[in-house]
Amino acid sequence: MENNEPKIACFMCNFAFCQTEMRIPSNTSIARVNCIGRIDPVLILEMLEKGADAVMLVGCKPPDCHYIEGNSQAEITVKVLKKLMCLAGLEPERLKLLWYSPIDKKSFSSYTKEYTEEMRKLVLSPIKKAVSESPLMINILAAKNVASEFRLRVLLGREKELTESVNVYGEKIPIEEFNSLLEEIVASEFVQQKIHVLTQTKPLSIKTLSEAVGMKPATVLRQIVNMRRRNMMTLDHIEGTTPFYKALEVK
Ligand code: FES
């Protein structure tokens, strides 16, 4: 494989995999999973962090998921991850969801070649050149923390229930409303996790944090108030009239 060839990490559902049909290009590595809807979103970010230029998720063609809800679970995971990648400074195109069946007329290797071609246009992942304390790596760490956040996982697991069944008041949440709520939660969680990562090693003032996250001091202060309610942050000390905040370990 050429050195500047994009490296693609592929997670593929067992039921979409067919040994005899597979001709896998040398720039693509495949890990098989039970159902693509059950993949841990943190794992996908870790692959990107560890040097993959792109990640491809391959699942059974809807409605063929053997676990019934895997297709919709995978779609929502990808939606959240793409949002997180944008916030972190990575092109969302570096993540692709493909529905595939071994009886497809188009071969799996044609799909991977097409995707490799797309990724060549993006050049290699910026993570490859980033050093560990760089803003990009801090963003990736924050994105991983968001992806493993319990609150977010609960919400993701309830998308179908919230948008398709009526609640005790006889109402459904329209999908658009759910999506914008999700976007809002992901963006706010990302800022909080980034503040948390930044203040893990030393206490910082709101002014320093607002420069680091590119937000107004008043917005940062609002996030810190929320973080203190969630036991993620504490007031460490005051210099003159300036408070300095430090991350608390999240249990
Ligand atoms: Fe293949 Fe769920 S079993 S997508």
Side-chain angles (χ1 to χ4, degrees):
M1 187 180 88
E2 290 171 41
N3 262 353
N4 55 358
E5 186 74 336
K7 276 209 279 181
I8 298 176
C10 174
F11 291 98
M12 189 168 201
C13 175
N14 263 331
F15 297 94
F17 185 86
C18 174
Q19 189 73 55
T20 48
E21 192 271 347
M22 302 301 257
R23 267 184 215 92
I24 301 155
S26 60
N27 68 323
T28 305
S29 60
I30 295 197
R32 288 164 61 179
V33 294
N34 277 342
C35 169
I36 208 65
R38 296 183 172 196
I39 192 152
D40 187 338
V42 178
L43 196 61
I44 297 168
L45 293 169
E46 272 173 4
M47 294 312 290
L48 293 165
E49 185 186 26
K50 288 185 179 145
D53 295 294
V55 175
M56 199 175 183
L57 304 181
V58 186
C60 307
K61 277 203 162 162
D64 284 346
C65 171
H66 290 242
Y67 298 91
I68 303 166
E69 296 201 339
N71 297 129
S72 54
Q73 280 293 328
E75 273 169 357
I76 190 160
T77 299
V78 166
K79 188 158 61 183
V80 168
L81 282 172
K82 279 182 180 277
K83 171 82 187 162
L84 280 173
M85 288 164 73
C86 286
L87 290 166
L90 274 185
E91 301 91 339
E93 293 82 5
R94 293 189 188 275
L95 176 61
K96 184 181 180 69
L97 178 60
L98 172 72
W99 301 130
Y100 179 73
S101 161
I103 56 166
D104 267 7
K105 286 202 182 98
K106 190 165 166 179
S107 69
F108 179 70
S109 62
S110 312
Y111 284 112
T112 48
K113 276 180 197 152
E114 274 174 21
Y115 191 40
T116 300
E117 211 41 63
E118 248 182 80
M119 289 305 100
R120 275 197 196 115
K121 290 180 196 144
L122 280 189
V123 303
L124 299 183
S125 166
I127 291 184
K128 288 191 160 139
K129 289 190 190 144
V131 288
S132 65
E133 302 280 296
S134 66
L136 179 58
M137 295 317 277
I138 288 171
N139 285 349
I140 296 292
L141 189 51
K144 280 192 342 188
N145 291 347
V146 177
S148 65
E149 239 290 307
F150 177 70
R151 288 197 316 166
L152 192 68
R153 284 175 183 242
V154 169
L155 190 65
L156 294 187
R158 293 190 64 204
E159 186 208 22
K160 226 175 164 52
E161 182 195 335
L162 292 169
T163 56
E164 289 183 8
S165 351
V166 289
N167 62 18
V168 285
Y169 305 107
E171 301 159 332
K172 278 190 216 173
I173 298 181
I175 187 72
E176 301 74 28
E177 208 177 293
F178 179 87
N179 283 342
S180 72
L181 176 69
L182 189 62
E183 286 235 342
E184 229 175 84
I185 291 176
V186 172
S188 156
E189 286 289 335
F190 179 77
V191 175
Q192 290 191 15
Q193 291 295 345
K194 188 165 171 178
I195 291 174
H196 195 260
V197 172
L198 288 164
T199 52
Q200 263 166 0
T201 45
K202 65 171 181 179
L204 295 173
S205 67
I206 289 186
K207 184 171 178 288
T208 309
L209 285 169
S210 87
E211 284 162 7
V213 297
M215 288 179 146
K216 289 184 183 151
T219 314
V220 172
L221 179 60
R222 255 200 316 277
Q223 295 290 2
I224 287 181
V225 170
N226 283 332
M227 291 170 75
R228 291 188 71 182
R229 280 199 201 114
R230 293 174 66 193
N231 276 335
M232 291 172 74
M233 171 76 57
T234 188
L235 174 65
D236 187 76
H237 66 279
I238 297 177
E239 281 175 26
T241 55
T242 306
F244 282 71
Y245 297 92
K246 189 162 186 339
L248 288 173
E249 196 186 330
V250 182
K251 302 213 168 83

